[in-house]
Amino acid sequence: MSRAFNFSAGPATLPEVVLRQAQEQMLEFDGAGASIVEMSHRGPEFIAVAQQAEADLRRLLSIPEDYAVLFTAGGATAIQALLPLNFAAPQQRVDYVLTGHWGKTAVKQASPCAQVSIAASSEDSGFTRIPPRDSWQLGADAAYVHITDNETIHGVQFDGAPDTGKVPLFADFSSSIASAPLEVAKYGLIYAGAQKNLGPVGISVVIVRRELLERSGQPRAEIFNYRAVAARDSMLNTPPTWNWYLLGLTVRWMLEQGGVEHFARLNAEKSAAVYAAIDGSGGFYRNDVVPAARSKMNIPFFLPDDTLTARFVSQASQAGLLALKGHQAVGGIRASLYNAMPLAGAHALAAFMADFQQRNG
Ligand SMILES: *Cc1c(COP(=O)(O)O)cnc(C)c1O
């Protein structure tokens, strides 16, 4: 067996030790005579797994006590749809800052249930920058301000939390959660699908200041009510237990590696190696994002034409560098460098890029 370097944007590479541990425990969990995936979510084994995962995530991200942590199914997109239902009054204003594809998805999901106002957008420049904070048109009566911390397709990333005054800041951290330290208290709500940087697809995390759960929101079924979800420890119905378990293993691995400070250093080093390969190519490779907004997690870049792009993707794959094809919305190449991607993977990619250019430039 040989595991390649997998640059997939999501579902994405997981640490090999996590996969091995899951493999070892697949048939029998911890002497229980059954797999964790075969047990009741209300039994002591799974309750312990779930509580440990939450405790470890709280430690990893330094989540304050006055924040609830919810584990949900339906992905980040379902959360985007539930934000106005839970936190905005019917047709209340909500402010969205667009810095790429996923911000637009968030708007699309919120639009039926709120009066969405685009506070700022960098779409006219092809989503290559963060609109300067002083250009944002924010409403004092908005229920929240929504940003996408890291735009997974366009490769545009915020550097910290922008100040939104008294209106709580909601942030989609799907592709950047736990990639570096963050100050949770600066956000009203943080959410992330797990399949980029926290584990497997099928489970998502919502970190929300508890006082926001007191908002009445809009008429909705109990299962979509985050106050009820929090009150029942994310177990109103059967949660995705296997995914929760795998998330727990992944978070534990991150703590053991040295936590978010460790990954911030590692991710800076990995992304610097790939950006250096792009910027040092004399224009053969091109990334259009302004340097201050360049993502450390997802690096889109372009070759001179489509034939070279296709050749790059296929030869890279043969060289053990998988899933480098860019998202169809922008084309080109995309390298995702989540926490589970080792430094050696980024160096192997940079070396392949130099070699490919030499042969084709
Ligand atoms: C992948 C992604 C999403 C969508 O996630 P799903 O779990 O597929 O709904 C939303 N936002 C960002 C930033 C993403 O990277």
PDB file of all heavy atoms in Angstrom, residues 153-154 286 299-303 306 309 313 324-335:
ATOM      1  N   ILE A 153     -12.546  28.010  -2.821  1.00  0.00           N
ATOM      2  CA  ILE A 153     -12.374  27.950  -4.273  1.00  0.00           C
ATOM      3  C   ILE A 153     -11.491  29.092  -4.769  1.00  0.00           C
ATOM      4  O   ILE A 153     -10.595  28.880  -5.590  1.00  0.00           O
ATOM      5  CB  ILE A 153     -13.761  27.969  -4.968  1.00  0.00           C
ATOM      6  CG1 ILE A 153     -14.510  26.667  -4.613  1.00  0.00           C
ATOM      7  CG2 ILE A 153     -13.622  28.157  -6.472  1.00  0.00           C
ATOM      8  CD1 ILE A 153     -15.948  26.626  -5.068  1.00  0.00           C
ATOM      9  N   HIS A 154     -11.727  30.298  -4.259  1.00  0.00           N
ATOM     10  CA  HIS A 154     -10.973  31.449  -4.758  1.00  0.00           C
ATOM     11  C   HIS A 154      -9.651  31.675  -4.041  1.00  0.00           C
ATOM     12  O   HIS A 154      -8.817  32.460  -4.496  1.00  0.00           O
ATOM     13  CB  HIS A 154     -11.852  32.703  -4.712  1.00  0.00           C
ATOM     14  CG  HIS A 154     -12.948  32.662  -5.734  1.00  0.00           C
ATOM     15  ND1 HIS A 154     -14.170  32.063  -5.483  1.00  0.00           N
ATOM     16  CD2 HIS A 154     -12.989  33.055  -7.028  1.00  0.00           C
ATOM     17  CE1 HIS A 154     -14.929  32.128  -6.579  1.00  0.00           C
ATOM     18  NE2 HIS A 154     -14.237  32.715  -7.526  1.00  0.00           N
ATOM     19  N   ARG A 286       0.527  31.304 -12.202  1.00  0.00           N
ATOM     20  CA  ARG A 286      -0.033  32.605 -11.841  1.00  0.00           C
ATOM     21  C   ARG A 286      -1.103  32.443 -10.768  1.00  0.00           C
ATOM     22  O   ARG A 286      -1.981  31.590 -10.884  1.00  0.00           O
ATOM     23  CB  ARG A 286      -0.674  33.193 -13.097  1.00  0.00           C
ATOM     24  CG  ARG A 286      -0.777  34.696 -13.144  1.00  0.00           C
ATOM     25  CD  ARG A 286      -1.522  35.117 -14.416  1.00  0.00           C
ATOM     26  NE  ARG A 286      -2.960  35.020 -14.205  1.00  0.00           N
ATOM     27  CZ  ARG A 286      -3.792  34.246 -14.918  1.00  0.00           C
ATOM     28  NH1 ARG A 286      -3.345  33.501 -15.902  1.00  0.00           N
ATOM     29  NH2 ARG A 286      -5.077  34.224 -14.635  1.00  0.00           N
ATOM     30  N   ILE A 299      -4.738  26.974  -2.440  1.00  0.00           N
ATOM     31  CA  ILE A 299      -3.987  27.841  -3.356  1.00  0.00           C
ATOM     32  C   ILE A 299      -4.393  27.530  -4.791  1.00  0.00           C
ATOM     33  O   ILE A 299      -3.986  26.512  -5.363  1.00  0.00           O
ATOM     34  CB  ILE A 299      -2.462  27.639  -3.177  1.00  0.00           C
ATOM     35  CG1 ILE A 299      -2.086  27.826  -1.707  1.00  0.00           C
ATOM     36  CG2 ILE A 299      -1.701  28.588  -4.094  1.00  0.00           C
ATOM     37  CD1 ILE A 299      -0.602  27.734  -1.417  1.00  0.00           C
ATOM     38  N   PRO A 300      -5.237  28.403  -5.383  1.00  0.00           N
ATOM     39  CA  PRO A 300      -5.552  28.221  -6.795  1.00  0.00           C
ATOM     40  C   PRO A 300      -4.452  28.864  -7.638  1.00  0.00           C
ATOM     41  O   PRO A 300      -3.939  29.933  -7.279  1.00  0.00           O
ATOM     42  CB  PRO A 300      -6.878  28.982  -6.959  1.00  0.00           C
ATOM     43  CG  PRO A 300      -6.924  29.960  -5.834  1.00  0.00           C
ATOM     44  CD  PRO A 300      -5.932  29.566  -4.789  1.00  0.00           C
ATOM     45  N   PHE A 301      -4.072  28.210  -8.728  1.00  0.00           N
ATOM     46  CA  PHE A 301      -3.136  28.876  -9.654  1.00  0.00           C
ATOM     47  C   PHE A 301      -3.350  28.382 -11.075  1.00  0.00           C
ATOM     48  O   PHE A 301      -4.025  27.371 -11.314  1.00  0.00           O
ATOM     49  CB  PHE A 301      -1.681  28.738  -9.202  1.00  0.00           C
ATOM     50  CG  PHE A 301      -1.154  27.329  -9.061  1.00  0.00           C
ATOM     51  CD1 PHE A 301      -0.505  26.698 -10.127  1.00  0.00           C
ATOM     52  CD2 PHE A 301      -1.287  26.644  -7.866  1.00  0.00           C
ATOM     53  CE1 PHE A 301       0.022  25.408  -9.986  1.00  0.00           C
ATOM     54  CE2 PHE A 301      -0.786  25.351  -7.720  1.00  0.00           C
ATOM     55  CZ  PHE A 301      -0.128  24.730  -8.782  1.00  0.00           C
ATOM     56  N   PHE A 302      -2.790  29.116 -12.014  1.00  0.00           N
ATOM     57  CA  PHE A 302      -3.095  28.899 -13.423  1.00  0.00           C
ATOM     58  C   PHE A 302      -1.817  28.706 -14.224  1.00  0.00           C
ATOM     59  O   PHE A 302      -0.785  29.297 -13.927  1.00  0.00           O
ATOM     60  CB  PHE A 302      -3.887  30.091 -13.968  1.00  0.00           C
ATOM     61  CG  PHE A 302      -5.168  30.302 -13.213  1.00  0.00           C
ATOM     62  CD1 PHE A 302      -5.206  31.153 -12.110  1.00  0.00           C
ATOM     63  CD2 PHE A 302      -6.312  29.607 -13.557  1.00  0.00           C
ATOM     64  CE1 PHE A 302      -6.365  31.313 -11.371  1.00  0.00           C
ATOM     65  CE2 PHE A 302      -7.482  29.758 -12.824  1.00  0.00           C
ATOM     66  CZ  PHE A 302      -7.512  30.611 -11.734  1.00  0.00           C
ATOM     67  N   LEU A 303      -1.926  27.858 -15.255  1.00  0.00           N
ATOM     68  CA  LEU A 303      -0.842  27.674 -16.217  1.00  0.00           C
ATOM     69  C   LEU A 303      -1.215  28.439 -17.487  1.00  0.00           C
ATOM     70  O   LEU A 303      -2.344  28.907 -17.628  1.00  0.00           O
ATOM     71  CB  LEU A 303      -0.649  26.177 -16.524  1.00  0.00           C
ATOM     72  CG  LEU A 303       0.097  25.402 -15.429  1.00  0.00           C
ATOM     73  CD1 LEU A 303      -0.853  24.852 -14.390  1.00  0.00           C
ATOM     74  CD2 LEU A 303       0.930  24.268 -16.018  1.00  0.00           C
ATOM     75  N   ASP A 306      -5.001  25.520 -21.286  1.00  0.00           N
ATOM     76  CA  ASP A 306      -5.745  24.358 -20.790  1.00  0.00           C
ATOM     77  C   ASP A 306      -5.031  23.027 -21.061  1.00  0.00           C
ATOM     78  O   ASP A 306      -5.159  22.080 -20.284  1.00  0.00           O
ATOM     79  CB  ASP A 306      -7.146  24.310 -21.429  1.00  0.00           C
ATOM     80  CG  ASP A 306      -8.032  25.424 -20.917  1.00  0.00           C
ATOM     81  OD1 ASP A 306      -7.645  26.070 -19.917  1.00  0.00           O
ATOM     82  OD2 ASP A 306      -9.099  25.658 -21.510  1.00  0.00           O
ATOM     83  N   THR A 309      -2.527  22.665 -18.419  1.00  0.00           N
ATOM     84  CA  THR A 309      -3.218  22.418 -17.145  1.00  0.00           C
ATOM     85  C   THR A 309      -3.592  20.943 -17.022  1.00  0.00           C
ATOM     86  O   THR A 309      -3.322  20.312 -15.986  1.00  0.00           O
ATOM     87  CB  THR A 309      -4.494  23.288 -17.037  1.00  0.00           C
ATOM     88  OG1 THR A 309      -4.109  24.651 -17.215  1.00  0.00           O
ATOM     89  CG2 THR A 309      -5.176  23.116 -15.696  1.00  0.00           C
ATOM     90  N   VAL A 313      -2.114  18.168 -14.277  1.00  0.00           N
ATOM     91  CA  VAL A 313      -2.949  17.386 -13.344  1.00  0.00           C
ATOM     92  C   VAL A 313      -2.650  15.900 -13.505  1.00  0.00           C
ATOM     93  O   VAL A 313      -2.459  15.180 -12.516  1.00  0.00           O
ATOM     94  CB  VAL A 313      -4.453  17.670 -13.587  1.00  0.00           C
ATOM     95  CG1 VAL A 313      -5.322  16.708 -12.779  1.00  0.00           C
ATOM     96  CG2 VAL A 313      -4.775  19.113 -13.237  1.00  0.00           C
ATOM     97  N   LEU A 324      -5.337  17.706  -7.904  1.00  0.00           N
ATOM     98  CA  LEU A 324      -4.882  19.095  -8.060  1.00  0.00           C
ATOM     99  C   LEU A 324      -5.714  19.899  -9.065  1.00  0.00           C
ATOM    100  O   LEU A 324      -5.461  21.085  -9.274  1.00  0.00           O
ATOM    101  CB  LEU A 324      -3.395  19.116  -8.455  1.00  0.00           C
ATOM    102  CG  LEU A 324      -2.455  18.840  -7.264  1.00  0.00           C
ATOM    103  CD1 LEU A 324      -1.070  18.411  -7.729  1.00  0.00           C
ATOM    104  CD2 LEU A 324      -2.353  20.079  -6.374  1.00  0.00           C
ATOM    105  N   LYS A 325      -6.704  19.266  -9.658  1.00  0.00           N
ATOM    106  CA  LYS A 325      -7.548  19.986 -10.621  1.00  0.00           C
ATOM    107  C   LYS A 325      -8.338  21.072  -9.898  1.00  0.00           C
ATOM    108  O   LYS A 325      -8.941  20.830  -8.853  1.00  0.00           O
ATOM    109  CB  LYS A 325      -8.504  18.990 -11.277  1.00  0.00           C
ATOM    110  CG  LYS A 325      -9.270  19.523 -12.470  1.00  0.00           C
ATOM    111  CD  LYS A 325     -10.047  18.358 -13.107  1.00  0.00           C
ATOM    112  CE  LYS A 325     -10.683  18.689 -14.426  1.00  0.00           C
ATOM    113  NZ  LYS A 325     -11.668  19.731 -14.411  1.00  0.00           N
ATOM    114  N   GLY A 326      -8.347  22.278 -10.470  1.00  0.00           N
ATOM    115  CA  GLY A 326      -9.069  23.390  -9.855  1.00  0.00           C
ATOM    116  C   GLY A 326     -10.573  23.182  -9.884  1.00  0.00           C
ATOM    117  O   GLY A 326     -11.076  22.343 -10.634  1.00  0.00           O
ATOM    118  N   HIS A 327     -11.290  23.933  -9.076  1.00  0.00           N
ATOM    119  CA  HIS A 327     -12.754  23.857  -9.085  1.00  0.00           C
ATOM    120  C   HIS A 327     -13.271  24.359 -10.424  1.00  0.00           C
ATOM    121  O   HIS A 327     -12.723  25.288 -10.999  1.00  0.00           O
ATOM    122  CB  HIS A 327     -13.305  24.721  -7.945  1.00  0.00           C
ATOM    123  CG  HIS A 327     -14.775  24.550  -7.727  1.00  0.00           C
ATOM    124  ND1 HIS A 327     -15.712  25.218  -8.477  1.00  0.00           N
ATOM    125  CD2 HIS A 327     -15.462  23.779  -6.854  1.00  0.00           C
ATOM    126  CE1 HIS A 327     -16.925  24.874  -8.058  1.00  0.00           C
ATOM    127  NE2 HIS A 327     -16.800  24.004  -7.073  1.00  0.00           N
ATOM    128  N   GLN A 328     -14.351  23.749 -10.906  1.00  0.00           N
ATOM    129  CA  GLN A 328     -14.860  24.100 -12.240  1.00  0.00           C
ATOM    130  C   GLN A 328     -15.242  25.580 -12.356  1.00  0.00           C
ATOM    131  O   GLN A 328     -15.206  26.140 -13.446  1.00  0.00           O
ATOM    132  CB  GLN A 328     -16.080  23.230 -12.579  1.00  0.00           C
ATOM    133  CG  GLN A 328     -17.189  23.353 -11.549  1.00  0.00           C
ATOM    134  CD  GLN A 328     -18.299  22.318 -11.755  1.00  0.00           C
ATOM    135  OE1 GLN A 328     -18.111  21.335 -12.441  1.00  0.00           O
ATOM    136  NE2 GLN A 328     -19.448  22.572 -11.146  1.00  0.00           N
ATOM    137  N   ALA A 329     -15.558  26.216 -11.233  1.00  0.00           N
ATOM    138  CA  ALA A 329     -15.964  27.621 -11.279  1.00  0.00           C
ATOM    139  C   ALA A 329     -14.804  28.533 -11.699  1.00  0.00           C
ATOM    140  O   ALA A 329     -15.031  29.605 -12.263  1.00  0.00           O
ATOM    141  CB  ALA A 329     -16.504  28.067  -9.923  1.00  0.00           C
ATOM    142  N   VAL A 330     -13.573  28.137 -11.421  1.00  0.00           N
ATOM    143  CA  VAL A 330     -12.427  29.004 -11.770  1.00  0.00           C
ATOM    144  C   VAL A 330     -11.415  28.313 -12.679  1.00  0.00           C
ATOM    145  O   VAL A 330     -10.594  28.976 -13.317  1.00  0.00           O
ATOM    146  CB  VAL A 330     -11.702  29.536 -10.509  1.00  0.00           C
ATOM    147  CG1 VAL A 330     -12.626  30.417  -9.693  1.00  0.00           C
ATOM    148  CG2 VAL A 330     -11.157  28.419  -9.648  1.00  0.00           C
ATOM    149  N   GLY A 331     -11.439  26.992 -12.752  1.00  0.00           N
ATOM    150  CA  GLY A 331     -10.492  26.265 -13.596  1.00  0.00           C
ATOM    151  C   GLY A 331      -9.089  26.243 -12.990  1.00  0.00           C
ATOM    152  O   GLY A 331      -8.907  26.482 -11.792  1.00  0.00           O
ATOM    153  N   GLY A 332      -8.100  25.935 -13.826  1.00  0.00           N
ATOM    154  CA  GLY A 332      -6.719  25.920 -13.363  1.00  0.00           C
ATOM    155  C   GLY A 332      -6.450  24.796 -12.375  1.00  0.00           C
ATOM    156  O   GLY A 332      -7.063  23.726 -12.414  1.00  0.00           O
ATOM    157  N   ILE A 333      -5.523  25.076 -11.468  1.00  0.00           N
ATOM    158  CA  ILE A 333      -5.063  24.106 -10.474  1.00  0.00           C
ATOM    159  C   ILE A 333      -5.466  24.630  -9.097  1.00  0.00           C
ATOM    160  O   ILE A 333      -5.553  25.835  -8.888  1.00  0.00           O
ATOM    161  CB  ILE A 333      -3.515  23.988 -10.519  1.00  0.00           C
ATOM    162  CG1 ILE A 333      -3.023  23.669 -11.936  1.00  0.00           C
ATOM    163  CG2 ILE A 333      -2.995  22.998  -9.489  1.00  0.00           C
ATOM    164  CD1 ILE A 333      -3.365  22.289 -12.432  1.00  0.00           C
ATOM    165  N   ARG A 334      -5.692  23.707  -8.173  1.00  0.00           N
ATOM    166  CA  ARG A 334      -5.874  24.122  -6.778  1.00  0.00           C
ATOM    167  C   ARG A 334      -5.189  23.127  -5.880  1.00  0.00           C
ATOM    168  O   ARG A 334      -5.441  21.921  -5.961  1.00  0.00           O
ATOM    169  CB  ARG A 334      -7.351  24.215  -6.408  1.00  0.00           C
ATOM    170  CG  ARG A 334      -7.542  24.485  -4.898  1.00  0.00           C
ATOM    171  CD  ARG A 334      -8.972  24.753  -4.533  1.00  0.00           C
ATOM    172  NE  ARG A 334      -9.890  23.742  -5.057  1.00  0.00           N
ATOM    173  CZ  ARG A 334     -11.169  23.663  -4.702  1.00  0.00           C
ATOM    174  NH1 ARG A 334     -11.679  24.523  -3.846  1.00  0.00           N
ATOM    175  NH2 ARG A 334     -11.950  22.729  -5.216  1.00  0.00           N
ATOM    176  N   ALA A 335      -4.326  23.638  -5.015  1.00  0.00           N
ATOM    177  CA  ALA A 335      -3.661  22.801  -4.016  1.00  0.00           C
ATOM    178  C   ALA A 335      -4.244  23.125  -2.646  1.00  0.00           C
ATOM    179  O   ALA A 335      -4.167  24.267  -2.191  1.00  0.00           O
ATOM    180  CB  ALA A 335      -2.159  23.061  -4.025  1.00  0.00           C
TER     181      ALA A 335
END
